[in-house]
Amino acid sequence: MNWTALATSFRLAAVTSLILLVVGVPIAYWLAYSNRRWKFLVEAIVALPLVLPPTVLGFYVLVAMGPRSPIGAWYETLVGRGLPFSFEGLVVASTLYSFPFAVQPVVAAFGGVDRRLLEASWLLGVSRLGTFFRVIAPQSAAGLLTGLVLSFAHTLGEFGVVLMVGGNIEGVTRTVSVDIYEDVQILDYGSANLTAGVLLVFSFLVLSIVYALNRRFRGPWMLTGPAR
Amino acid sequence: MLRARIEKDFDGRFSVEASLDLEVESPRVAVLFGPSGAGKTTVLRCIAGLERPTNGRIAFGSEIWCDIAAGHWLPPQSRRVGFLFQDYALFPHLSVAGNIGYGIRDAPGRERRARVGDLARRLGLESVLDRYPAALSGGQRQRAALARALARRPRLLLLDEPFAALDGGTRDAVRAYLAELLSEFRVPAILVTHDWSDALALGHSMVVLKDGRVLQSGPPPEVLTRPAGTEAASIAGVETVQPGVRTGTAGGAVRLRVGSAEIVAVEPETGDAGFWVCIRGEDVMLETSAASGGSARNRLDGEVRDVVPKGPVTQVRLDVGFPLTALVTRQSALDLGLRPGSRIRAVFKASSVHLIPRR
């Protein structure tokens, strides 16, 4: 059981899901409420990591981060070292990889909010941003939580992208999934079994909590009495 | 004065092209009247700022809310209008108190609580302030939505079919209640409805819309009884609207003096003394004075004023102590030999007389 790898994984998952919350919510808002004709293109791009092999995504991210790409070169002059095979590089790759898991539940939740409630809020003098925090967010709590937890759990379990972009550096980029692979490679089935078991139980617990909260989060207003 | 010139095109499938001048000084109520799909709600939503016209201009007094040609647009947040949605659109995650106070969060805490408490008391919501909308009755929901709109002291209240979900008896009561509330809070209103009795009961002026166009506008009794064209007439569907005064009661029926005649109607649920007496043309039968008998309670002798053929029916205007309009088939008109000056008897049932309280 490699505790360092487990810690790396949790750190990566936490940072990634927080970034996704900040970046994903505005995009989800735009996807839920925009009327642009080319919205479908953005939707397709957001969903791309769902169908793309992690190696393909990892390959492109690696190339984009490399010192010969403008982005990679710019980052290197700014920070002093390259993105590939670093924890920061892993965060970038994970963020892209878990994007649909963070955004799609939130889009669905935003889209489910009755439009007239937003209009009622505007007519009561509340700005669009205020309306987001006072009407949309409280009514989408379940969706926001689902997005957060799913991106956390998905990042925890990723393998291909991590291996492509992060490599396998103990304490920096070696995550639990890579660690299990390592264990199997050196025929240490006992250690692999233990780590895999921990991950399995954890994932099951997380998903159970999400589904339980989703039931509750339909809101206290649903439990106060039947609609008449 | 609200002056609106609204053009709105819905992908060529439907378009609204309406010009209206509405007097919206308190306590006046302007009615947007028409069948469903006439564009009433679109006009209302453009006034509220929820819908952007394809072209046009909306001005409230000296303030311009929207001028598409000049690129001017005032968002709904800045128009300070109250809007009552058809299904009320209460925030389900907030209590009644939270809903009422929603639009006045900038006010200091004590003032806000005082205003919420005051509105709750005046609208009879004190006992349900802590409840969520899901646990309210239909009437309580409507009052909570009204309180929420009034809390911001709107300059204008927009009401989208507020009585659509109510049945006859409740409808009369809520109408009376709303009229009282509007004058108490001194807020002018624009009311959207497809029911002519709403227009008569609450409206000081009305605009008739059909297929996105304005057919006619004016005071409700006038517009309803003197429709400009057959289209407006078929929408309104009530040809006689006359002021009447209660003179007595007799066995579940009420006696009313209308002009110089006396008629009998079914006892209304409200105790008012003055009414608009409304009679539809097809409910009035005509017979020569010789005939008698039958169950109809109202039998009024009078004189034919004029006879106007309108397609398959003939409109007969009578003087029976008050102006009364009857619609009969062309054959009947011929058989009865109707012409201006003919003596005739008009017959209609007490239950065919609709009474709308007059304010």
Side-chain angles (χ1 to χ4, degrees):
Chain A
M1 180 79 206
N2 183 342
W3 291 104
T4 320
L6 199 64
T8 304
S9 275
F10 271 88
R11 198 154 64 95
L12 179 67
V15 173
T16 301
S17 41
L18 283 179
I19 290 175
L20 278 172
L21 185 68
V22 175
V23 178
V25 164
I27 290 175
Y29 183 91
W30 185 86
L31 283 174
Y33 298 116
S34 168
N35 294 320
R36 300 270 173 207
R37 279 177 203 280
W38 42 273
K39 188 166 92 173
F40 70 98
L41 288 175
V42 180
E43 284 172 318
I45 290 170
V46 167
L48 214 47
L50 286 177
V51 293
L52 222 49
T55 43
V56 172
L57 187 77
F59 171 71
Y60 281 122
V61 171
L62 194 60
V63 170
M65 284 175 177
R68 260 174 284 176
S69 94
I71 303 171
W74 173 78
Y75 181 85
E76 210 167 320
T77 50
L78 204 74
V79 180
R81 59 197 162 84
L83 265 175
F85 311 111
S86 72
F87 183 75
E88 290 76 20
L90 215 51
V91 168
V92 173
S94 303
T95 304
L96 291 172
Y97 186 52
S98 293
F99 214 79
F101 291 87
V103 172
Q104 287 185 343
V106 180
V107 173
F110 287 176
V113 177
D114 186 349
R115 195 180 159 81
R116 260 145 332 144
L117 298 182
L118 313 189
E119 295 178 341
S121 173
W122 302 337
L123 285 161
L124 291 164
V126 178
S127 68
R128 280 174 185 255
L129 191 66
T131 299
F132 172 78
F133 283 112
R134 295 176 64 190
V135 178
I136 299 173
Q139 296 218 46
S140 309
L144 286 165
L145 187 80
T146 306
L148 195 68
V149 172
L150 280 184
S151 45
F152 186 91
H154 187 242
T155 307
L156 208 59
E158 75 181 69
F159 175 71
V161 173
V162 173
L163 210 56
M164 290 291 283
V165 176
N168 186 9
I169 305 164
E170 173 79 15
V172 182
T173 62
R174 181 185 292 173
T175 61
V176 264
S177 51
V178 176
D179 191 62
I180 293 168
Y181 180 72
E182 284 283 300
D183 284 343
V184 173
Q185 290 291 303
I186 57 169
L187 301 176
D188 187 354
Y189 281 28
S191 177
N193 192 11
L194 189 62
T195 317
V198 168
L199 217 53
L200 177 70
V201 170
F202 177 80
S203 301
F204 175 72
L205 280 178
V206 163
L207 289 179
S208 304
I209 291 167
V210 168
Y211 284 115
L213 284 177
N214 256 320
R215 281 173 65 115
R216 267 182 57 101
F217 256 98
R218 250 175 263 150
W221 57 88
M222 292 296 288
L223 304 173
T224 49
R228 256 176 272 155
Chain B
M1 185 70 109
L2 182 93
R3 288 177 197 279
R5 191 169 52 74
I6 295 165
E7 285 173 38
K8 173 96 185 163
D9 190 57
F10 293 91
D11 295 332
R13 281 175 288 120
F14 176 69
S15 71
V16 170
E17 236 181 283
S19 240
L20 14 123
D21 291 345
L22 301 174
E23 279 189 55
V24 287
E25 282 77 37
S26 172
R28 295 181 72 91
V29 178
V31 174
L32 292 180
F33 173 79
S36 50
K40 312 181 291 285
T41 297
T42 300
V43 169
L44 199 70
R45 288 173 59 83
C46 285
I47 292 172
L50 295 175
E51 205 95 54
R52 203 184 278 259
T54 317
N55 201 1
R57 191 176 188 277
I58 300 169
F60 180 73
S62 58
E63 200 176 296
I64 295 163
W65 282 357
C66 157
D67 190 340
I68 299 299
H72 186 83
W73 173 257
L74 198 67
Q77 284 92 342
S78 312
R79 298 192 184 189
R80 239 184 84 206
V81 297
F83 197 106
L84 188 71
F85 287 88
Q86 213 177 112
D87 58 356
Y88 317 133
L90 289 167
F91 301 119
H93 60 292
L94 296 178
S95 66
V96 171
N99 267 283
I100 299 176
Y102 185 88
I104 51 170
R105 210 166 67 156
D106 296 340
R110 188 185 303 176
E111 194 197 318
R112 192 174 66 239
R113 277 190 295 277
R115 219 189 298 174
V116 170
D118 179 54
L119 280 161
R121 188 173 45 73
R122 285 158 88 174
L123 279 89
L125 292 165
E126 273 172 312
S127 59
V128 295
L129 273 175
D130 295 328
R131 284 205 206 157
Y132 288 96
L136 298 180
S137 71
Q140 286 169 332
R141 279 182 209 177
Q142 188 177 53
R143 278 178 280 144
L146 270 169
R148 181 178 70 175
L150 289 169
R152 263 178 40 96
R153 304 209 171 95
R155 299 181 288 182
L156 175 64
L157 201 57
L158 306 174
L159 309 163
D160 191 6
E161 297 269 10
F163 314 114
L166 309 171
D167 52 20
T170 331
R171 205 180 170 97
D172 287 347
V174 174
R175 240 172 3 205
Y177 172 79
L178 187 65
E180 218 170 275
L181 204 67
L182 290 175
S183 68
E184 190 185 324
F185 283 86
R186 302 199 54 75
V187 55
I190 299 177
L191 170 83
V192 159
T193 182
H194 63 267
D195 187 326
W196 56 264
S197 59
D198 290 341
L200 208 50
L202 288 170
H204 297 86
S205 63
M206 75 186 280
V207 173
V208 181
L209 284 168
K210 169 112 195 285
D211 296 330
R213 309 288 182 275
V214 173
L215 289 183
Q216 196 179 356
S217 59
E222 219 167 88
V223 170
L224 290 172
T225 54
R226 281 191 282 283
T230 48
E231 235 183 336
S234 71
I235 296 167
V238 56
E239 288 78 10
T240 299
V241 177
Q242 288 293 318
V245 179
R246 182 199 290 261
T247 54
T249 313
V254 58
R255 295 185 170 283
L256 298 133
R257 175 148 298 278
V258 185
S260 63
E262 185 158 84
I263 65 162
V264 177
V266 176
E267 179 75 52
E269 295 195 15
T270 54
D272 304 75
F275 293 95
W276 288 113
V277 173
C278 310
I279 304 162
R280 302 170 64 109
E282 54 264 56
D283 290 336
V284 180
M285 287 168 290
L286 299 180
E287 53 190 38
T288 50
S289 305
S292 68
S295 66
R297 299 285 301 273
N298 295 295
R299 323 182 75 80
L300 304 173
D301 289 319
E303 202 178 283
V304 175
R305 281 280 171 260
D306 61 10
V307 181
V308 186
K310 291 192 165 177
V313 296
T314 298
Q315 183 188 2
V316 185
R317 279 205 275 256
L318 312 162
D319 180 358
V320 292
F322 62 90
L324 176 69
T325 302
L327 290 176
V328 296
T329 59
R330 205 163 51 163
Q331 193 55 49
S332 308
L334 289 173
D335 292 350
L336 289 166
L338 297 174
R339 72 180 81 77
S342 312
R343 297 296 300 173
I344 198 79
R345 174 172 286 179
V347 179
F348 51 92
K349 292 157 78 170
S351 58
S352 296
V353 180
H354 302 270
L355 298 179
I356 310 285
R358 243 183 113 191
R359 283 171 296 116

